[in-house]
Amino acid sequence: MTTPPRVTFFHAPQTRSGATRALFEELGVDVDMHVLNLKAGDTRKPEYLAVNPMGKVPAIRHGNALITEQPAVMMYLADLYPGAKLAPPPGDPLRGPYLRWMVFYGSCFEPAVVDKSMKRDPAPPSTSPYGDFDTMLKTLTDQLARGPYLLGESFSAADVLYGSALNWMTQFKLV
């Protein structure tokens, strides 16, 4: 019996990769953490750009698989460790809503938050990925009001993802 490869986690403190670090804690698994120093420009060095040409964290390597983009990293990990029950399995009625909220993060939530934090107007509604900030946020808060978690009574990787982001948003008074 072969031992499955360990996950290598590329992390920079005080960045969005903190949510992935929190997810590893929820999963209760060991990881090979590769800490990058943003002030030293580690994410712009050729060694890291070979991992993620965008120079962003988080990223993970698992065997021959290289995964970037925070929601994709978190979905991969939640599926990789099904015993932690942080992702509804395929066929579960909550799988679709789980995937919706994981994808909503990168396609709607984060672009809206970035535009708001930069004091930029969104693109016209017909071309904006999120419409407008208030509608995006109401969509999320209406779902959270059904709580206690995004999926109702089921805690998932989506809660780790949004918990970290909402903490950041409140610290910077974006909500």
Side-chain angles (χ1 to χ4, degrees):
M1 181 172 183
T2 61
T3 303
R6 284 174 54 109
V7 173
T8 300
F9 170 39
F10 298 90
H11 168 63
Q14 300 178 327
T15 68
R16 68 175 47 90
S17 69
T20 303
R21 187 172 183 184
L23 181 63
F24 275 114
E25 291 176 19
E26 290 292 335
L27 292 168
V29 297
D30 291 327
V31 60
D32 293 328
M33 189 179 316
H34 185 87
V35 178
L36 301 162
N37 182 329
L38 290 182
K39 289 182 181 177
D42 288 353
T43 60
R44 298 291 172 207
K45 292 179 180 172
E47 306 83 58
Y48 188 68
L49 292 174
V51 172
N52 186 349
M54 299 294 292
K56 299 185 322 178
V57 289
I60 60 170
R61 181 176 287 126
H62 178 239
N64 292 326
L66 178 62
I67 302 95
T68 65
E69 303 310 315
Q70 186 175 17
V73 167
M74 295 182 91
M75 287 187 287
Y76 185 91
L77 291 170
D79 287 345
L80 183 62
Y81 301 104
K85 298 186 180 183
L86 291 178
D92 185 303
L94 291 177
R95 182 69 176 190
Y98 164 76
L99 293 173
R100 174 202 181 191
W101 290 111
M102 294 300 280
V103 173
F104 185 89
Y105 180 87
S107 63
C108 296
F109 179 83
E110 196 167 279
V113 170
V114 169
D115 280 350
K116 182 173 176 88
S117 69
M118 302 290 291
K119 299 179 178 12
R120 294 188 302 221
D121 290 331
S126 63
T127 59
S128 172
Y130 62 89
D132 65 83
F133 182 86
D134 292 336
T135 302
M136 178 285 301
L137 190 60
K138 185 176 182 335
T139 301
L140 177 60
T141 57
D142 284 355
Q143 181 66 26
L144 288 168
R146 298 179 183 132
Y149 306 111
L150 273 167
L151 302 180
E153 297 296 320
S154 298
F155 181 76
S156 72
D159 297 294
V160 178
L161 176 63
Y162 282 93
S164 174
L166 290 169
N167 179 57
W168 178 86
M169 286 180 65
T170 56
Q171 284 179 354
F172 289 94
K173 300 184 179 6
L174 296 172
V175 293

